[in-house]
Amino acid sequence: MMNGPILPVKPLIGKETVSRIEADYDRFREGMPDQVEQYILDRYGVDVSSRYGAAPIRNPFGKASGQLSVNLEQVRADSKAGLGFVVLKTVVAENPQGNRSMKEWAVKETRMVVNQITGKETGELGWNVTWRGRGWYGTLNAYLEFFRSALEAGRTRGTVIVPSCKYHLPSQTELEYQLDEYRYTTQMLYKVWKEAGETGPLQMEKDFSPTVAGSGLASQKNTVLEWLRQVPYLIKSSVPESDVQLGIKLMNTMFDDKFQLESFRFLLEEGRTRPDYVVYANRLYDSHLKFLGKEGAAYGGPDLSTRNLRILSRLRKMEIQGKLKRPIPPLSGTGNVHSGKMTVEYALRGAESVQMHTMFQRPNSAFGMRTGSKTERALHELYFHPGEGLITWMLHLKEHQEIDCPDGIIRFRDMASWYRNKGKEYFLYMV
């Protein structure tokens, strides 16, 4: 069995079901119902609720950290549209004096280019966004106020809001981590979380983008592995009783698949503290790609999801074979998530949620919905597209009895357990 897509090219569901989905796709071109998740459950017996890390989410769709989650208006619009969660733009850690050892990452993006791209491995046509961007360019204090307001905005519609942070990563010539930055920044995020009345631990993402950015910091494998060993512990030990639900955003490194798998295993088994969940894995890097007059840029599209799904499949095979000491923690998938079908591909490899950026940048002509924000248009496509939508492919799995549905309802979170049950043979016998 080849290590490729799990789903067939076309869904195999009844004609009557296809007609119902086509009718809803057309009906909602002018806007979807407010409680769309309940509508989908009542009409199709499809439960799209899930979790992001430890947080329950109304649906599996989230916005990845980036230029589309950098201000309150964006968060309000996403919450109104019905996203399950939003990861805020990545802030660069500071010490109490306002100094940042990673200040070169606090650069305001000036331009993003959206284009179609053809996958080198599959020949598939997809979408890509290229930009020369880094972290939050303002101060930590400004970010904290943004975080506070974003939590309030998300709470009104049940959208989970999570901050993202980039901390000091020492190079080979540096001996120590800037612990004052780790402690101060984490404690301030924690303070806002608690003052906002959020229950449970602070939930946050740690961004490891220097491993993909072509930076000199990422040029040595041992350096990357040492970061993975130390950083989760430094973050979680910064607040009382490790009161942090930490997601590590593990990037595609500039190395081969073997190292990618080793870095994943190292993060989970060799680190001083395991992350609570893992976000996997956005962007590839091409040192020859020219952008804004310079060589070297990150990119996405079909090659990104091809690699991500391949790595996740091999990782699940290792887990099933008992080659990992402990089960893999919850996953959130990211990378060329452009359809409900691709969402299901990630889910069948254990992802309980997905997060997107490029999907919300596509031109209006690439969506079926005629009005509304990019987020509303994207959700309409993700749910209801007759050939590529989430409803279609979850019902495909239900009709072919790939997911147990004793009460007649197929649940998204059950798909994320498929690899342990009926899907086990796929991973054991794949090449």
Side-chain angles (χ1 to χ4, degrees):
M1 184 178 293
M2 295 303 294
N3 183 14
I6 295 172
L7 299 173
V9 174
K10 294 183 178 180
L12 302 173
I13 55 178
K15 292 183 179 180
E16 181 180 343
T17 301
V18 172
S19 296
R20 293 167 69 199
I21 297 172
E22 288 175 341
D24 277 347
Y25 185 70
D26 288 336
R27 181 182 303 123
F28 298 138
R29 286 180 186 272
E30 305 300 328
M32 293 192 299
D34 285 339
Q35 302 297 326
V36 66
E37 297 90 355
Q38 188 63 48
Y39 176 88
I40 292 170
L41 178 61
D42 293 342
R43 183 163 170 80
Y44 296 101
V46 171
D47 182 353
V48 298
S49 65
S50 192
R51 65 172 179 169
Y52 167 64
I57 46 178
R58 58 197 284 189
N59 62 65
F61 300 121
K63 179 172 281 186
S65 173
Q67 274 302 99
L68 302 182
S69 55
V70 74
N71 62 56
L72 187 57
E73 288 70 26
Q74 292 168 326
V75 175
R76 285 173 174 160
D78 290 336
S79 180
K80 180 181 178 182
L83 273 186
F85 64 101
V86 173
V87 185
L88 303 182
K89 179 71 173 173
T90 302
V91 67
V92 178
E94 293 182 7
N95 67 15
Q97 291 73 44
N99 298 320
R100 296 177 285 195
S101 58
M102 302 284 282
K103 62 183 179 182
E104 70 272 16
W105 290 86
V107 177
K108 184 176 182 179
E109 289 85 347
T110 57
R111 185 181 176 190
M112 291 186 287
V113 176
V114 183
N115 64 290
Q116 290 193 291
I117 186 173
T118 301
K120 298 174 185 177
E121 295 188 45
T122 64
E124 178 187 352
L125 187 64
W127 291 93
N128 175 57
V129 176
T130 308
W131 74 95
R132 195 169 298 283
R134 296 201 167 187
W136 171 270
Y137 58 86
T139 65
L140 174 61
N141 283 338
Y143 188 86
L144 295 172
E145 288 307 309
F146 170 46
F147 179 32
R148 190 188 308 274
S149 299
L151 286 171
E152 181 179 353
R155 192 180 302 118
T156 61
R157 298 296 290 267
T159 298
V160 172
I161 306 297
V162 175
S164 173
C165 188
K166 192 188 308 294
Y167 294 87
H168 173 242
L169 297 175
S171 65
Q172 283 187 310
T173 59
E174 295 178 275
L175 298 177
E176 302 290 341
Y177 289 83
Q178 298 295 327
L179 298 181
D180 55 346
E181 294 182 8
Y182 278 83
R183 291 168 183 153
Y184 180 70
T185 302
T186 310
Q187 288 168 7
M188 295 304 293
L189 291 170
Y190 179 80
K191 183 174 185 244
V192 169
W193 180 267
K194 292 301 182 183
E195 288 177 350
E198 297 295 324
T199 59
L202 163 68
Q203 184 163 342
M204 64 175 295
E205 278 189 15
K206 156 62 183 140
D207 181 288
F208 263 112
S209 54
T211 59
V212 74
S215 163
L217 284 174
S219 62
Q220 298 296 326
K221 294 181 180 180
N222 288 339
T223 300
V224 173
L225 294 178
E226 180 61 15
W227 295 342
L228 297 177
R229 189 177 77 86
Q230 293 280 8
V231 166
Y233 170 78
L234 296 179
I235 297 171
K236 289 180 72 71
S237 63
S238 295
V239 298
E241 299 181 1
S242 297
D243 199 15
V244 176
Q245 182 78 195
L246 177 64
I248 293 294
K249 193 172 188 178
L250 193 61
M251 306 294 192
N252 276 301
T253 66
M254 298 185 294
F255 305 114
D256 59 14
D257 285 6
K258 182 178 179 180
F259 180 77
Q260 198 69 23
L261 284 166
E262 174 61 11
S263 64
F264 213 133
R265 186 202 64 78
F266 200 91
L267 172 69
L268 302 181
E269 297 186 353
E270 305 295 334
R272 298 176 66 183
T273 296
R274 274 170 60 100
D276 298 291
Y277 63 102
V278 177
V279 182
Y280 194 85
N282 71 324
R283 316 295 279 165
L284 298 170
Y285 187 80
D286 185 346
S287 59
H288 302 294
L289 183 64
K290 292 185 178 180
F291 182 65
L292 299 181
K294 296 183 180 180
E295 284 195 349
Y299 68 100
D303 288 339
L304 175 57
S305 54
T306 296
R307 188 188 199 204
N308 286 357
L309 297 178
R310 181 173 69 240
I311 294 296
L312 289 175
S313 292
R314 293 177 180 175
L315 193 71
R316 290 303 180 188
K317 182 176 182 178
M318 292 169 62
E319 182 181 18
I320 292 167
Q321 291 176 324
K323 293 182 179 179
L324 298 176
K325 295 176 183 177
R326 295 171 59 187
I328 298 165
L331 294 181
S332 182
T334 187
N336 193 40
V337 181
H338 62 274
S339 65
K341 183 179 183 182
M342 182 60 73
T343 300
V344 173
E345 289 282 4
Y346 274 99
L348 294 176
R349 292 161 175 86
E352 296 178 337
S353 68
V354 292
Q355 44 186 273
M356 300 158 280
H357 190 274
T358 301
M359 182 70 179
F360 305 115
Q361 299 256 58
R362 289 161 49 171
N364 287 341
S365 59
F367 297 108
M369 184 181 277
R370 301 187 184 97
T371 62
S373 68
K374 288 287 180 70
T375 303
E376 291 171 318
R377 293 169 188 251
L379 288 172
H380 171 256
E381 207 77 6
L382 290 164
Y383 284 130
F384 292 104
H385 189 281
E388 296 287 316
L390 183 64
I391 297 170
T392 292
W393 285 99
M394 287 183 68
L395 291 176
H396 165 90
L397 293 175
K398 178 181 178 180
E399 291 196 18
H400 290 268
Q401 299 181 342
E402 288 293 328
I403 309 295
D404 290 330
C405 309
D407 57 357
I409 296 173
I410 182 169
R411 294 173 171 82
F412 189 91
R413 283 191 64 182
D414 289 339
M415 290 198 303
S417 300
W418 178 81
Y419 74 93
R420 290 197 299 259
N421 302 310
K422 294 186 178 181
K424 184 179 291 187
E425 289 189 1
Y426 170 87
F427 296 99
L428 283 176
Y429 298 109
M430 71 182 188
V431 176

